[in-house]
């Protein structure tokens, strides 16, 4: 079973700043990695699939990179609506486990 | 438009049982695998169980194995999660998820299950 770790646990930034979130897998997941954003009281929303592809309707300020075991989600310039929790998930085979999440909050 | 509507959540005492349902619409339900994901209050996402399109193959997380059973009725476009021997740590919002494709992953709004005496 794949184990995903995310860092940092919390990222305190201001609007307009760049956010860099990390996800590491216990073994190679190739590029079968997704990123989700979740706001309070809402289900998660797919941001990035296959490590680097933006899902439909996701703004260009969100980008994903990496392959194998190390992945990064970058938000180039934080908008007020981007303050949320971000999860990575591998999609190699069942179970599609999630990382513990990174909370991006406002400084 | 894909819609996933969970129902069946509520309060249940420890040791009790509950069955969640997820009514699907907007896609050919019988062609896609389906998943249950849960989220305990204030916690992260936990992948619980999945079932393939025809309902022949499933996988259940160790944390609920032997207590939870996933199933589906393709004639009714409905996914189920039978939860037995419930514990306080099973308290969570349970989401129904359609892995339509890697680029389209649809989530329901969730059903709250509270296990408490």
């Amino acid at each position: 079973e794949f184990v995903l770790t995310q860092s940092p646990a919390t990222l305190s930034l201001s609007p307009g700043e760049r956010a860099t979130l990390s996800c590491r897998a216990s073994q190679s997941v190739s590029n079968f990695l997704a990123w989700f954003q979740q706001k309070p009281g809402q289900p998660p929303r797919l941001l990035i699939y296959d490590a680097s592809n933006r899902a439909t309707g996701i703004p260009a300020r969100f980008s994903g990179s990496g392959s194998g075991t190390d992945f990064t989600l970058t938000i180039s310039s934080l908008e007020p609506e981007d303050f949320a929790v971000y999860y990575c998930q591998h999609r190699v085979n069942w179970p599609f486990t999630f990382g513990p999440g990174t909370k991006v909050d406002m400084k | 438009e894909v819609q996933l509507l969970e129902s069946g959540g509520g309060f249940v005492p420890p040791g009790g049982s509950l069955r969640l349902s997820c009514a699907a619409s907007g896609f050919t339900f019988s062609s896609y695998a389906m998943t249950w994901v849960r989220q305990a209050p204030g916690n992260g996402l936990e992948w619980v169980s999945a079932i393939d399109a025809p309902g022949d193959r499933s996988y259940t997380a160790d944390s609920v194995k032997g207590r939870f059973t996933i199933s589906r009725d393709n004639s009714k476009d409905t996914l189920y999660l039978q939860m037995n021997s419930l514990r306080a740590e099973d308290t969570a919002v349970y989401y129904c998820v359609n892995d339509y494709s890697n680029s389209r992953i649809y989530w329901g709004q969730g059903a709250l299950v509270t296990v408490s005496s």
Side-chain angles (χ1 to χ4, degrees), chain A residues 8-86:
Chain A
T10 304
L11 199 51
S12 296
L13 295 168
S14 300
E17 289 193 295
R18 183 184 189 89
T20 303
L21 289 68
S22 174
C23 175
R24 178 164 289 178
S26 58
Q27 56 187 294
S28 177
V29 300
S30 184
N31 69 329
F32 298 119
L33 190 104
W35 289 93
F36 295 87
Q37 176 194 66
Q38 188 180 31
K39 297 178 181 179
Q42 297 182 18
R45 177 175 72 145
L46 178 67
L47 297 176
I48 301 288
Y49 67 94
D50 293 346
S52 61
N53 298 289
R54 274 190 303 277
T56 302
I58 301 304
R61 63 181 181 273
F62 291 92
S63 64
S65 64
S67 66
T69 60
D70 291 299
F71 300 87
T72 301
L73 174 69
T74 302
I75 310 171
S76 59
S77 179
L78 281 164
E79 297 288 338
E81 61 268 27
D82 298 337
F83 292 92
V85 181
Y86 293 84

Side-chain angles (χ1 to χ4, degrees), chain A residues 38 43 49-50 87 91 95-96, chain B residues 39 44 47 59 99 102-103 108:
Chain A
Q38 188 180 31
Y49 67 94
D50 293 346
Y87 296 95
R91 302 180 65 78
F96 289 169
Chain B
Q39 186 169 36
W47 191 97
Y59 189 102
D99 291 317
N102 273 355
S103 63

Side-chain angles (χ1 to χ4, degrees), chain B residues 69-88:
Chain B
T69 303
I70 191 172
S71 63
R72 64 192 297 161
D73 186 336
N74 286 344
S75 69
K76 296 182 178 178
D77 292 349
T78 303
L79 176 72
Y80 302 101
L81 186 67
Q82 178 67 43
M83 303 184 293
N84 299 331
S85 302
L86 282 160
R87 306 167 180 168

